[in-house]
Amino acid sequence: MKKKFAIPAVLFGAVAAGGLLYYFTQADSFRAAVAAAPPPPVPVVAGVVAQRDVPIYQNGVGTVIAYNTDVVRAQIQGQLISINFTEGQTVHAGDLLAQIDPRPYQAQIDQFEGNLDRDQAQLTNARANLARYNQLGDKGWATPQLIETQKAQVGQLEAAIKTDQALIEAAKVQLSYTRLTSPIDGVVGIRQIDVGNIISPTTANGLVVVTQLDPISLIFTLPEGVLPQILKQQQATKTPLPVLAYNQDDTLQLGRGELALVNNEILQTTGSIQLKATFPNKSRELWPGELVNARLLVTTRHNGLTVPASVVQQGPNGAYAYVIKPDSTVAMRPIKVAQITDGEALIDAGLKAGEQVVVDGQYRLQPGTHVTLLHGEAAEEAAAQQAQQATIP
């Protein structure tokens, strides 16, 4: 018969205690290892602070107006017998737009010319009689009174001829008014009256409106505080200041012109100053009545510091940027922005030329975060994703 050996309970307790101690020891070591492991670097797109000459603009909102606008009206009354333009047509100064029936005015000229011929014939006869009376007077056969009367008749007929000639000239002017012509180069609008109707100087809307589109004008406003800077720059350069016109969302430049006028008074209700610029407009990208954004170039910042606009971040204390340090960590740097134009920010303070800054990927950063730089297609893809997210309201 085999003997059975019993393991003391104390030995079991010792083994169990040792196992638990080993478990907790290894768990603490694992947690310490996990806590000690640094987080992976954050991928970002980087850019370099550039230094170059930067134009400084003052931005305002304005309305495009025609350089000249003329309402073609009749100066005489008559029936329209022809319309010689198509709505929207480009016309030149002197082009025939419509014709009023000229026959009544031509008949008036014929009448006055007939009166002139009659008076000229009578003057010829009166001058011949005066010559004969003078000869008879020399011989004592004609009285001085008869001679003086004949001289008066000659003078009267000469005055009548001058009157006839004046009436003919006035009638020819009236006849010329039967041709309604364009006073300027421009584009005709919607026709206001049709053939066969009677037109007169009192016709409310006239025949048509002609607007001159090349050149074209832009009236815009700026805060009155920039007026001294504008005047100073005008005096310094002695040349018109450039003005750029953009569409309402600032994505397309519509034209480049010159400042023509700073209005002679400030609008007290808005505290702004009106300015007028002139633009060449051969391509007709500017149209009367169009609302555009105006940029007035007032000066140029030499050796200005620039970064992509996406570098600039906004926080509770103002604008800042993430600067990449030599050890591949980032620091949050407060900055002062002078202007943001065409996707580029001009920096007044906070950055230095040549420093690396984060262009994309800021949402995962905080001061001290390690970063890795994306290049090539990866950087382009990250930039595209940021642009797409920026369009989401």
Side-chain angles (χ1 to χ4, degrees):
M1 184 176 180
K2 294 182 180 180
K3 295 181 180 181
K4 295 181 179 180
F5 295 94
I7 299 175
V10 176
L11 181 59
F12 277 111
V15 172
L20 290 173
L21 178 62
Y22 178 79
Y23 171 78
F24 286 113
T25 301
Q26 294 300 318
D28 290 341
S29 299
F30 177 77
R31 285 195 294 268
V34 171
V42 176
V44 297
V45 179
V48 178
V49 180
Q51 190 172 30
R52 63 179 183 85
D53 292 346
V54 182
I56 303 297
Y57 295 100
Q58 292 293 339
N59 300 320
V61 178
T63 303
V64 180
I65 62 172
Y67 192 77
N68 284 308
T69 301
D70 286 308
V71 180
V72 180
R73 298 183 184 275
Q75 299 187 63
I76 58 173
Q77 180 172 319
Q79 184 182 30
L80 279 178
I81 59 174
S82 69
I83 299 292
N84 301 85
F85 68 90
T86 303
E87 294 172 327
Q89 175 185 341
T90 298
V91 296
H92 300 284
D95 286 355
L96 180 64
L97 301 180
Q99 177 74 56
I100 298 175
D101 187 0
R103 291 175 298 175
Y105 300 96
Q106 182 61 55
Q108 196 172 30
I109 292 176
D110 294 340
Q111 178 184 354
F112 292 148
E113 287 178 344
N115 293 339
L116 175 63
D117 293 339
R118 180 198 61 199
D119 292 338
Q120 285 178 335
Q122 291 178 353
L123 176 62
T124 300
N125 183 57
R127 284 174 175 171
N129 289 336
L130 178 61
R132 287 192 292 269
Y133 290 159
N134 284 331
Q135 292 176 357
L136 293 174
D138 293 339
K139 298 177 181 180
W141 295 343
T143 63
Q145 181 181 2
L146 182 59
I147 296 174
E148 293 298 328
T149 301
Q150 192 61 34
K151 286 181 179 181
Q153 187 176 7
V154 170
Q156 182 179 1
L157 291 172
E158 289 175 343
I161 288 175
K162 289 182 179 180
T163 301
D164 294 338
Q165 291 172 339
L167 290 174
I168 291 172
E169 293 300 321
K172 287 181 177 179
V173 171
Q174 295 292 306
L175 178 63
S176 69
Y177 290 158
T178 62
R179 291 173 51 87
L180 300 181
T181 60
S182 175
I184 58 173
D185 295 344
V187 176
V188 294
I190 299 174
R191 186 177 71 248
Q192 301 297 322
I193 191 170
D194 298 325
V195 173
N197 287 285
I198 301 297
I199 191 171
S200 71
T202 59
T203 301
N205 298 320
L207 172 68
V208 72
V209 177
V210 182
T211 56
Q212 185 174 352
L213 302 181
D214 183 23
I216 202 165
S217 297
L218 169 65
I219 294 181
F220 62 102
T221 58
L222 292 175
E224 60 178 310
V226 305
L227 181 58
Q229 186 181 10
I230 295 173
L231 298 178
K232 181 180 179 180
Q233 188 67 13
Q234 284 182 321
Q235 294 173 358
T237 60
K238 304 298 183 182
T239 57
L241 301 182
V243 180
L244 305 180
Y246 282 78
N247 61 353
Q248 294 187 41
D249 54 5
D250 277 330
T251 58
L252 179 64
Q253 181 176 328
L254 303 177
R256 181 184 179 91
E258 295 180 342
L259 183 64
L261 169 69
V262 178
N263 203 9
N264 57 4
E265 63 178 356
I266 294 174
L267 301 177
Q268 297 295 325
T269 55
T270 59
S272 59
I273 185 73
Q274 280 188 318
L275 303 99
K276 185 177 182 180
T278 302
F279 290 77
N281 193 38
K282 295 186 182 299
S283 60
R284 296 185 181 177
E285 292 184 333
L286 295 170
W287 206 256
E290 184 178 8
L291 186 66
V292 300
N293 293 326
R295 299 182 186 176
L296 174 65
L297 178 61
V298 292
T299 186
T300 299
R301 175 80 62 83
H302 298 289
N303 297 322
L305 300 178
T306 62
V307 294
S310 59
V311 170
V312 180
Q313 303 293 305
Q314 295 294 332
N317 297 323
Y320 67 92
Y322 281 107
V323 179
I324 303 175
K325 299 193 294 187
D327 61 356
S328 295
T329 60
V330 295
M332 192 169 67
R333 185 87 57 80
I335 60 175
K336 184 178 180 181
V337 181
Q339 70 172 22
I340 297 179
T341 304
D342 296 333
E344 183 179 71
L346 174 63
I347 306 301
D348 271 346
L351 297 176
K352 298 178 181 179
E355 286 187 312
Q356 275 193 323
V357 290
V358 178
V359 176
D360 179 56
Q362 296 96 330
Y363 67 98
R364 297 177 57 186
L365 299 180
Q366 57 183 342
T369 302
H370 282 78
V371 296
T372 181
L373 304 185
L374 298 177
H375 301 282
E377 294 182 359
E380 293 177 0
E381 182 179 354
Q385 289 178 354
Q386 182 186 18
Q388 184 176 4
Q389 292 175 356
T391 60
I392 300 176

